[in-house]
Amino acid sequence: MREAITVRDLSYKYPDGTKALEDVNMEVHEGERIAIVGPNGAGKTTLMLHLNGTFRCMEGEVELFGKTVSKLKRAEIVKEIGMVFQDPDDQLFMPTLFDDIAFGPINQGLKGDEVRERVDKAIMSLGLSGYEDRAPHRLSFGEKKKASLAAVMAMEPRILVLDEPTANLDPYSRTELIGILNELNDREGITMVIATHDVNAIPELADRIYALNRRIIETGTPREIFFDGELLKQNKLDVPDVFKLFDVMRCFGFNCDKLPLSLDEAVSGLTRVIETAGGHIHLHIHEHTHDEVKKWREKYEHH
Amino acid sequence: MREAITVRDLSYKYPDGTKALEDVNMEVHEGERIAIVGPNGAGKTTLMLHLNGTFRCMEGEVELFGKTVSKLKRAEIVKEIGMVFQDPDDQLFMPTLFDDIAFGPINQGLKGDEVRERVDKAIMSLGLSGYEDRAPHRLSFGEKKKASLAAVMAMEPRILVLDEPTANLDPYSRTELIGILNELNDREGITMVIATHDVNAIPELADRIYALNRRIIETGTPREIFFDGELLKQNKLDVPDVFKLFDVMRCFGFNCDKLPLSLDEAVSGLTRVIETAGGHIHLHIHEHTHDEVKKWREKYEHH
Amino acid sequence: MVEYPEIDRYSSLDSVMHRFDPRAKLIAFLILIFSIVLLQDLKLAFIGLLGAILFLIASKLPLRFVLQHIKWVCFFIVPFILIMPFSVHGTGIFHFHGLTLTYEGLEYGILVAVRALAAVIIVLPMIATTRFDITIKALGELKMPNMLVQMFMFTYRYIFVFVIEFQRTWRAMVARGFQMKTNLYALRTIGKALGTFFIRSYERGDRVYQALRARGYTVKPKTLVEFKMRASDYVWTVVIIGFAVSLHVVPFVEVT
Amino acid sequence: MVHISDGILSLPVLAAGWAITIALIAVALWWSKRRGNVEEEIPKLSVMTAAFFVASLIHIPVGPTCVHFMLNGLVGVILGILAYPAIFIGLVLQAVLFQHGGITTIGVNTVNMGVGALIAFAIFRVGSMYGSLVVRKELSAWIFGALAGGVAVFLTVIFTAVSLILTSREAFFAVAITLMLAHIPIMIIEAIVTGSIVVFLLKVKPELIGGLGDDNK
Ligand SMILES: Nc1ncnc2c1ncn2[C@@H]1O[C@H](COP(=O)(O)OP(=O)(O)OP(=O)(O)O)[C@@H](O)[C@H]1O
Ligand SMILES: Nc1ncnc2c1ncn2[C@@H]1O[C@H](COP(=O)(O)OP(=O)(O)OP(=O)(O)O)[C@@H](O)[C@H]1O
Ligand SMILES: [Mg+2]
Ligand SMILES: [Mg+2]
């Protein structure tokens, strides 16, 4: 597997002296889906702005497919990596949706018909047809979010970097967006790096997590990270509710080898456990149940 | 119980012709905590702007403690109702946090010492001491959110209206904010109206839900609303994960009279069910399990 | 508190003006506006105004919209019409507390008013019948420097973002009991609120620049447009420019 | 009020307005190209122009009528030389989006407001450099901020009056005087508001003051 992104010993200080990143090391394989988690102000956005060369590395370096970002030309970086920002209003800068989506391809030097093809494809795959001539300020927040994703997709980058894609979306639009992203990864093998506070979305959205809090605290599969109670607590992180719930069911004698992270996993896990136990399991309150529940509570409690 | 807010037959059209509200009727008792849910563009923000008289009612009317809002003076409305907007940046407009929190009390005509007292109290109760002289744009998102709440609290309103208070917060700050709001309601009996997409927070934050989608679709306790599968589906609403999970466990023969809405409820529910069954229950796969799981899946699936 | 620009609200109607090629439309009507504001003769100015009204009618824009957009000019013109008849020397028609209302002054005042009104009326068929972003693109096609075209695009887009943002801030201020009066406290508060607003705008400017760069922005490229002149576009161009020119040439020919 | 509409000014005045405006825009853009990174400045300048545009839509009640902010002094203090193209863009958009001011008069109106902005910039630059030697920094910023704001409006009104009088002294003299008198309260309001904004910015985000794309910030 090739490395899509390599970050080596990256540190960054804002001009006013705020240390936002310290000694960050990171490796993302091609086709992988990575989630970056960490509290408000952890440096997630700052890190992402280094990936596409918006911020020059002051210390350390970033490589895309083995090439140092600071030595690449803008046009080359843009071909490799597309970035969707936190606030869609920052990134929809043209008066209509069509112009905005066409903006990237035009900058890449494509000609009329190619541009139109790219725009059509992006619009189709995000279900935005009919919106081409709309002004961004007449879109709902969820639509703006999808539009900003379409604008980046039209550039057909090999890596997609997304800053809190699910924030402020209603549950329906959120599910829809998650589906779209996974399809992109599936069908076109696009590598993804996603910063998010939405822990319930992580199991569906990421193969691996980087926990960031100015420095990289830990990396691992969602399961590995969510299992590390101490790590979670120290870095103000959280765990999906389903995971917590199955964890507490263990106090009642539920014997689950693998705690589920999403509802789907929960159902299939439940089915499997019951089936392997001969179609039938017990839950009971035994002498240690209450102590165990208490411990469980402490593990996830934030205060 | 007195009515804190009464909305009667309220309709609203934006100048460009968008119908945002139609025939909205709503009653909020004193001391109640109300959640307003609905998809992006449902009119939640628009409704809230009517509650504090920012928008004049074109059709219908709003009453606060029995007095018609449109007939009240600005100063009187402000004493009754405080509003925390979606984006904290929109409402922190003074150079320092102190100035910002003092802004409301000064407009209420209070004098130096009283103002200072109010500010101190608000700062204390939100844990913002030490931040008085900071400029708002140097605060983290979670801090800004708390600051905007403090600014409204300093005016000591009897009703608090909050637009998506948990959006963009990290899980820790989110838990903290929920705690603060519930304490305010508990200790000072403040009535609360909260618009939110964060279904997992609703059981902890609200006694009653209004489902809004341009018109009021339904009202009821969280349990009542979350039980109404058709309603949820038609209005693109969602249900807490814990609720869904216990719902699926019923397919496996789990006999729960009351589906839990939060983790705490889940644990105590589980304990109670097992205890009433004599310290011991079965889960099993019976002949209808798979069909039931399939039905369950359809019930909550958005696509 | 602040209003939204809605000049292209009726750009999706259908009329000969709506179908007119935006580039030709801009050129032709700009020439007409310049031609009318330079007229010196009241009769000709009235003919210009009549022409302007005919073009406006051809554009099928609703009357309410039209009145809303020309009311500002009417306010602006009022002091001229009220004061000039008394300040220009000439044949007195009417004496009033030592002031003399002159025929010449009245005529000049009316001339100014008619020219102003005609010009502003022509702006409507020129601008309000095309989506504003397309008008900006047309300017680009007409060889306006690319830097300026882009500034128009971005500025136009962010006006909407900021109107909405400012409305929200204003609501938050009112919700905390602020009332706009003309006193020092209110003015200083407005000053501070505007200061915050500018800081946020400046920071947004940074983020917009980052987003632009992330999509490979260079100053060079243009937007994708396809304008095509059809026969009817040539006809209209000739008609409008012909009218503009004849306002100046015909009286000259008559005299000689 | 100070945006002169179409149909009033004479050909020589209009032509002079356009000539000066085109020349000054060219100089400003050339200067910024030489000085810094245009690619960076176009988006930032556009966003700030939009912000000023929106701020100038705010109306304030004065007696029975309303006035709008002009803010050209502040634009000058913040954007420096690039204030000129920013004001040009703003005025074109005001003319075509709201019909405030005319089309043919954009050149003249830009001179009237833009030169005021440039001079306000100079006043503030020089003033606060020496002013802070004499009084507290904040006070000096307030004084020169207010001065810049007031002077910019004053100059705009004077220039507007001059463009009217150059067109026809006889016809427009009285109008010009009325115009100037009517703007005295606006001048005072702008001075106060500009002063408080400048102090605020200096306290909270000093890099915003003193010219976009300027090296020494
Ligand atoms: N322009 C700036 N100047 C100075 N400090 C900054 C600037 N931008 C961010 N910071 C600081 O750098 C740190 C990291 O910020 P960053 O925006 O990367 O956090 P984040 O992880 O994206 O947070 P969030 O979850 O709230 O989006 C924070 O402490 C922040 O206050
Ligand atoms: N200023 C405006 N002009 C015209 N239409 C508007 C305006 N503000 C909102 N709308 C429209 O009114 C409807 C209701 O908007 P509102 O902001 O109340 O929704 P909301 O429920 O708060 O949505 P969200 O969850 O995205 O915050 C939407 O269709 C929106 O597009
Ligand atoms: Mg961030
Ligand atoms: Mg809303």
Side-chain angles (χ1 to χ4, degrees):
Chain A
M1 230 178 330
R2 272 171 80 198
E3 302 294 346
I5 304 175
T6 318
V7 179
R8 257 198 289 276
D9 302 326
L10 181 66
S11 297
Y12 188 79
K13 226 197 234 171
Y14 276 98
D16 69 351
T18 313
K19 269 199 176 166
L21 296 174
E22 263 184 82
D23 267 333
V24 170
N25 281 285
M26 204 170 129
E27 278 178 1
V28 181
H29 308 302
E30 198 170 349
E32 222 182 359
R33 299 171 307 156
I34 296 287
I36 301 183
V37 298
N40 289 120
K44 299 182 293 296
T45 304
T46 312
L47 174 58
M48 295 188 142
L49 290 173
H50 278 92
L51 298 185
N52 77 341
T54 304
F55 288 172
R56 302 237 145 225
C57 303
M58 302 200 296
E59 264 174 63
E61 59 176 20
V62 175
E63 285 177 9
L64 297 181
F65 297 105
K67 287 165 282 181
T68 310
V69 165
S70 50
K71 287 183 194 140
L72 286 177
K73 287 210 201 75
R74 192 101 283 271
E76 291 170 308
I77 299 176
V78 165
K79 225 167 54 193
E80 305 290 10
I81 198 164
M83 175 140 179
V84 181
F85 290 74
Q86 202 160 354
D87 182 352
D89 276 327
D90 290 339
Q91 117 166 48
L92 299 172
F93 24 68
M94 296 300 258
T96 70
L97 210 60
F98 180 90
D99 287 330
D100 211 281
I101 300 178
F103 185 87
I106 293 175
N107 281 320
Q108 289 180 317
L110 297 186
K111 287 288 148 292
D113 279 347
E114 289 167 301
V115 171
R116 215 157 276 127
E117 216 169 85
R118 291 276 191 98
V119 175
D120 285 346
K121 196 175 147 200
I123 282 185
M124 283 300 290
S125 71
L126 280 146
L128 285 172
S129 11
Y131 287 85
E132 289 87 343
D133 290 337
R134 286 260 219 131
H137 69 103
R138 293 205 196 275
L139 298 176
S140 89
F141 195 91
E143 287 159 354
K144 275 195 251 185
K145 207 96 191 191
K146 285 195 231 164
S148 55
L149 186 58
V152 170
M153 288 206 12
M155 306 178 68
E156 305 197 340
R158 291 200 284 168
I159 304 172
L160 212 51
V161 176
L162 302 118
D163 204 350
E164 310 217 4
T166 60
N168 277 304
L169 290 186
D170 65 40
Y172 176 81
S173 315
R174 173 174 165 277
T175 314
E176 217 179 28
L177 188 74
I178 293 176
I180 291 168
L181 292 178
N182 281 332
E183 208 184 295
L184 277 178
N185 175 263
D186 239 37
R187 221 184 27 198
E188 325 213 349
I190 295 179
T191 310
M192 289 204 267
V193 180
I194 301 169
T196 186
H197 292 306
D198 183 355
V199 277
N200 290 306
I202 290 179
E204 300 170 62
L205 263 181
D207 304 314
R208 196 149 56 92
I209 293 182
Y210 273 98
L212 180 75
N213 199 351
R214 228 168 60 199
R215 26 179 97 246
I216 294 286
I217 307 295
E218 189 62 270
T219 179
T221 61
R223 190 172 310 282
E224 285 161 5
I225 296 288
F226 291 149
F227 247 110
D228 193 340
E230 266 317 292
L231 174 92
L232 298 173
K233 203 156 188 164
Q234 276 169 16
N235 295 287
K236 303 184 175 178
L237 298 176
D238 206 4
V239 159
D241 283 346
V242 177
F243 184 90
K244 284 187 203 164
L245 201 65
F246 271 69
D247 200 13
V248 81
M249 285 190 7
R250 302 211 289 190
C251 311
F252 294 91
F254 181 70
N255 236 326
C256 186
D257 49 339
K258 239 175 108 181
L259 289 182
L261 295 172
S262 64
L263 279 171
D264 280 340
E265 266 184 54
V267 175
S268 56
L270 201 58
T271 315
R272 194 167 14 98
V273 169
I274 298 179
E275 269 168 1
T276 45
H280 178 120
I281 57 164
H282 289 269
L283 296 187
H284 54 269
I285 296 181
H286 52 83
E287 45 181 338
H288 301 300
T289 299
H290 294 293
D291 286 344
E292 282 177 13
V293 169
K294 217 170 124 197
K295 260 191 224 139
W296 168 85
R297 216 184 282 280
E298 275 163 15
K299 187 156 133 202
Y300 296 116
E301 217 153 51
H302 276 311
H303 294 288
Chain B
M1 231 179 330
R2 274 171 78 198
E3 302 294 347
I5 304 176
T6 317
V7 179
R8 257 197 289 276
D9 301 326
L10 182 66
S11 298
Y12 188 80
K13 228 198 230 171
Y14 276 98
D16 71 347
T18 313
K19 268 200 176 165
L21 296 175
E22 263 184 82
D23 267 332
V24 170
N25 281 285
M26 202 171 129
E27 279 180 2
V28 181
H29 308 301
E30 200 172 347
E32 223 183 355
R33 300 172 306 157
I34 297 288
I36 301 183
V37 298
N40 289 120
K44 301 182 291 298
T45 304
T46 312
L47 174 58
M48 295 188 140
L49 291 172
H50 279 91
L51 298 186
N52 77 342
T54 305
F55 288 174
R56 302 240 144 222
C57 303
M58 301 201 295
E59 264 175 64
E61 58 176 21
V62 175
E63 286 178 9
L64 297 180
F65 296 106
K67 284 165 282 179
T68 309
V69 166
S70 50
K71 287 184 194 139
L72 288 177
K73 288 210 202 74
R74 191 78 259 175
E76 291 171 307
I77 298 175
V78 164
K79 227 167 52 192
E80 305 291 9
I81 198 163
M83 177 140 180
V84 181
F85 290 77
Q86 199 160 355
D87 185 350
D89 279 326
D90 290 336
Q91 61 180 332
L92 299 172
F93 34 72
M94 296 301 250
T96 69
L97 206 60
F98 182 91
D99 287 337
D100 213 282
I101 301 178
F103 183 86
I106 292 175
N107 283 324
Q108 288 181 317
L110 297 185
K111 287 290 150 291
D113 279 349
E114 289 166 302
V115 171
R116 214 155 283 126
E117 215 168 88
R118 290 276 191 97
V119 175
D120 286 345
K121 196 175 148 201
I123 282 185
M124 285 300 291
S125 72
L126 281 146
L128 286 171
S129 4
Y131 286 86
E132 289 88 342
D133 292 336
R134 289 257 224 129
H137 72 109
R138 294 253 164 84
L139 298 175
S140 88
F141 196 90
E143 288 159 355
K144 275 194 240 178
K145 208 94 191 192
K146 284 196 239 164
S148 58
L149 187 57
V152 171
M153 296 246 337
M155 306 179 66
E156 306 197 339
R158 292 199 284 168
I159 304 171
L160 213 51
V161 176
L162 302 119
D163 203 350
E164 310 216 3
T166 59
N168 277 302
L169 290 185
D170 63 40
Y172 177 82
S173 315
R174 174 173 166 278
T175 314
E176 215 178 30
L177 188 74
I178 293 175
I180 292 169
L181 292 178
N182 281 332
E183 207 184 297
L184 278 177
N185 175 263
D186 240 36
R187 221 183 28 199
E188 324 214 349
I190 295 179
T191 309
M192 290 204 268
V193 180
I194 300 168
T196 187
H197 291 305
D198 184 355
V199 278
N200 289 306
I202 290 179
E204 299 170 61
L205 263 181
D207 304 314
R208 195 149 58 92
I209 292 183
Y210 273 99
L212 180 75
N213 200 351
R214 223 165 68 198
R215 28 179 96 246
I216 295 286
I217 307 295
E218 190 62 90
T219 178
T221 60
R223 190 172 311 281
E224 284 161 5
I225 296 288
F226 291 149
F227 247 110
D228 193 340
E230 266 316 293
L231 174 92
L232 298 173
K233 203 155 188 166
Q234 276 170 16
N235 296 287
K236 303 185 175 177
L237 298 177
D238 206 2
V239 159
D241 283 347
V242 177
F243 185 90
K244 284 188 203 163
L245 201 65
F246 271 69
D247 201 14
V248 82
M249 286 195 0
R250 303 210 290 189
C251 310
F252 294 91
F254 181 70
N255 236 326
C256 185
D257 50 338
K258 239 176 108 181
L259 290 182
L261 295 173
S262 64
L263 279 171
D264 280 340
E265 266 184 54
V267 175
S268 56
L270 202 58
T271 315
R272 195 166 16 102
V273 169
I274 299 178
E275 267 169 1
T276 45
H280 177 121
I281 58 165
H282 290 269
L283 295 185
H284 54 270
I285 297 180
H286 52 83
E287 45 181 338
H288 301 301
T289 299
H290 293 294
D291 287 344
E292 281 175 14
V293 168
K294 215 170 126 199
K295 261 191 221 138
W296 169 85
R297 215 184 283 280
E298 275 163 16
K299 187 156 135 201
Y300 295 116
E301 218 153 50
H302 274 311
H303 294 287
Chain C
M1 189 62 195
V2 291
E3 52 193 320
Y4 243 47
E6 288 208 283
I7 188 72
D8 57 1
R9 180 160 174 190
Y10 292 103
S11 62
S12 56
L13 300 182
D14 187 37
S15 77
V16 285
M17 288 300 138
H18 286 80
R19 272 172 264 141
F20 195 2
D21 182 277
R23 294 166 302 172
K25 186 155 62 181
L26 276 175
I27 294 282
F29 280 127
L30 279 176
I31 290 175
L32 183 57
I33 290 177
F34 271 97
S35 145
I36 288 179
V37 301
L38 296 175
L39 291 174
Q40 298 301 332
D41 182 274
L42 189 56
K43 261 181 281 160
L44 287 171
F46 268 113
I47 294 174
L49 178 61
L50 189 70
I53 292 174
L54 288 179
F55 291 123
L56 179 66
I57 291 171
S59 72
K60 292 190 183 161
L61 293 169
L63 185 63
R64 244 179 71 117
F65 172 84
V66 171
L67 292 179
Q68 202 184 336
H69 280 266
I70 61 177
K71 71 167 186 254
W72 176 257
V73 168
C74 300
F75 284 131
F76 186 85
I77 288 302
V78 167
F80 285 83
I81 297 202
L82 288 184
I83 298 172
M84 283 167 54
F86 295 98
S87 67
V88 176
H89 299 295
T91 348
I93 321 177
F94 182 72
H95 299 275
F96 179 75
H97 288 288
L99 292 172
T100 311
L101 189 146
T102 63
Y103 174 78
E104 284 79 2
L106 195 61
E107 188 180 352
Y108 198 11
I110 293 174
L111 176 67
V112 163
V114 169
R115 291 191 307 209
L117 196 60
V120 80
I121 284 176
I122 296 169
V123 173
L124 295 177
M126 175 170 85
I127 302 289
T129 55
T130 312
R131 264 192 5 241
F132 193 70
D133 57 287
I134 297 180
T135 302
I136 300 176
K137 286 179 192 166
L139 284 174
E141 290 291 293
L142 293 172
K143 301 282 178 272
M144 177 187 264
N146 204 16
M147 272 168 82
L148 286 179
V149 174
Q150 284 178 5
M151 281 181 66
F152 275 117
M153 287 263 183
F154 298 153
T155 305
Y156 179 63
R157 158 77 180 117
Y158 282 97
I159 284 173
F160 291 96
V161 174
F162 291 147
V163 166
I164 293 169
E165 216 169 73
F166 197 86
Q167 278 175 343
R168 288 205 220 108
T169 300
W170 184 250
R171 278 175 203 152
M173 292 173 73
V174 172
R176 285 208 259 146
F178 178 71
Q179 277 166 329
M180 188 65 233
K181 295 193 184 121
T182 327
N183 57 26
L184 197 61
Y185 169 71
L187 288 179
R188 285 180 48 180
T189 305
I190 285 273
K192 288 176 185 171
L194 279 179
T196 312
F197 173 68
F198 288 134
I199 290 177
R200 284 207 283 142
S201 309
Y202 180 83
E203 287 175 349
R204 191 187 282 278
D206 270 339
R207 295 197 304 269
V208 169
Y209 168 61
Q210 289 168 359
L212 274 158
R213 257 171 74 87
R215 285 210 263 148
Y217 174 69
T218 54
V219 186
K220 267 167 254 139
K222 290 187 167 185
T223 48
L224 212 54
V225 270
E226 249 171 37
F227 292 122
K228 233 197 216 116
M229 289 286 282
R230 288 164 309 161
S232 60
D233 293 323
Y234 287 106
V235 173
W236 275 105
T237 312
V238 170
V239 168
I240 295 167
I241 296 180
F243 178 57
V245 173
S246 58
L247 283 175
H248 288 266
V249 175
V250 172
F252 185 70
V253 174
E254 266 175 22
V255 173
T256 49
Chain D
M1 262 310 268
V2 285
H3 301 346
I4 303 174
S5 68
D6 286 320
I8 290 166
L9 300 179
S10 64
L11 181 59
V13 177
L14 291 178
W18 280 107
I20 298 174
T21 288
I22 289 171
L24 280 177
I25 289 177
V27 169
L29 293 184
W30 166 82
W31 176 87
S32 83
K33 231 179 213 164
R34 203 179 54 103
R35 229 12 216 278
N37 180 3
V38 210
E39 202 182 288
E40 181 170 352
E41 255 142 48
I42 287 179
K44 288 185 181 173
L45 188 58
S46 310
V47 172
M48 285 313 277
T49 304
F52 285 119
F53 184 95
V54 171
S56 73
L57 295 177
I58 300 169
H59 27 260
I60 296 197
V62 174
T65 61
C66 277
V67 298
H68 286 257
F69 282 125
M70 279 200 255
L71 295 177
N72 54 335
L74 187 67
V75 177
V77 171
I78 293 182
L79 299 183
I81 294 184
L82 288 175
Y84 203 87
I87 287 175
F88 172 75
I89 300 273
L91 285 177
V92 172
L93 289 176
Q94 292 221 330
V96 296
L97 297 178
F98 291 113
Q99 284 69 52
H100 290 198
I103 302 283
T104 54
T105 49
I106 288 169
V108 176
N109 284 335
T110 310
V111 174
N112 294 349
M113 282 189 77
V115 172
L118 295 180
I119 290 177
F121 173 56
I123 289 176
F124 184 78
R125 242 308 161 72
V126 176
S128 51
M129 216 186 294
Y130 297 106
S132 52
L133 302 177
V134 187
V135 288
R136 262 188 317 125
K137 194 166 176 226
E138 191 172 304
L139 185 61
S140 138
W142 199 90
I143 292 173
F144 287 103
L147 201 60
V151 167
V153 174
F154 176 75
L155 288 177
T156 304
V157 176
I158 294 289
F159 283 5
T160 306
V162 168
S163 17
L164 289 174
I165 290 169
L166 281 179
T167 292
S168 160
R169 183 185 160 76
E170 188 193 5
F172 294 134
F173 192 76
V175 178
I177 297 296
T178 319
L179 188 91
M180 287 202 270
L181 292 179
H183 275 81
I184 289 174
I186 298 176
M187 211 166 82
I188 295 169
I189 289 178
E190 287 255 348
I192 296 173
V193 170
T194 310
S196 20
I197 294 178
V198 167
V199 171
F200 177 27
L201 294 182
L202 212 59
K203 206 161 39 170
V204 182
K205 202 165 175 84
E207 65 264 41
L208 229 159
I209 303 266
L212 199 66
D214 215 330
D215 298 336
N216 54 4
K217 72 175 176 193

